[in-house]
């Protein structure tokens, strides 16, 4: 691999070091559990992840430092089984590395909605009864 001044090799995409994202620092992540099963995961409960970001000002790592952005609240679900608990631990690592969310334009709402906190490409199940996200 060729190591340049980047964390990611341009040839094989291997990460050298610890990747850190641009997720706003003013957010919170909490988890809870309920006994009801998710669609497709009968016999186990549900892990509920709740994310909250207040509106704020972009930091030096963002595209427009000093400009305002709109906050967001999101809820996501995992089955409360060994695989779901393992994925939760990985999401917690991604949260601590600021990789789950970013500041930018929403792909679903578009530019007319303004700069806001958006998902950062890591898919999550956002509907406990539907098929969107985690199977």
């Amino acid at each position: 691999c060729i190591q340049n001044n980047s964390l990611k090799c341009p040839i094989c995409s291997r990460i050298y070091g610890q990747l850190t994202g641009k997720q706003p620092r003013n957010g919170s992540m909490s988890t809870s559990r309920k006994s009801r099963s998710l669609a497709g995961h009968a016999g186990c409960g549900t892990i509920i992840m709740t994310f909250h970001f207040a509106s704020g000002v972009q930091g030096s790592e963002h595209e427009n430092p000093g400009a305002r952005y709109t906050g967001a609240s999101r809820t996501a679900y995992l089955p409360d089984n060994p695989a779901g608990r393992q994925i939760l631990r990985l999401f917690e690592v991604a949260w601590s590395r600021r990789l789950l969310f970013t500041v930018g334009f929403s792909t679903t709402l578009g530019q007319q909605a303004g700069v806001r906190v958006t998902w950062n490409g890591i898919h999550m199940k956002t509907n406990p009864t539907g098929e969107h996200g985690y199977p």
Side-chain angles (χ1 to χ4, degrees), residues 27-122:
S28 64
M29 174 185 177
S30 62
T31 59
S32 61
R33 289 176 164 74
K34 69 176 185 176
S35 58
R36 186 173 177 171
S37 297
L38 285 173
H41 296 278
C44 62
T46 300
I47 300 168
I48 304 165
M49 299 175 291
T50 304
F51 307 96
H52 178 73
F53 295 90
S55 295
V57 176
Q58 295 182 49
S60 60
E61 71 275 20
H62 297 118
E63 288 189 33
N64 296 300
R68 298 202 51 78
Y69 63 84
T70 302
S73 293
R74 301 285 181 262
T75 303
Y77 306 90
L78 292 167
D80 193 0
N81 61 21
R85 289 187 289 274
Q86 180 179 11
I87 291 169
L88 173 62
R89 287 189 295 275
L90 294 171
F91 281 153
E92 289 170 336
V93 170
W95 174 266
S96 70
R97 294 183 183 174
R98 302 174 58 211
L99 297 169
L100 296 181
F101 294 88
T102 192
V103 172
F105 294 107
S106 168
T107 56
T108 55
L109 298 175
Q111 290 188 356
Q112 69 276 8
V115 177
R116 58 194 326 101
V117 176
T118 64
W119 297 102
N120 197 25
I122 298 175

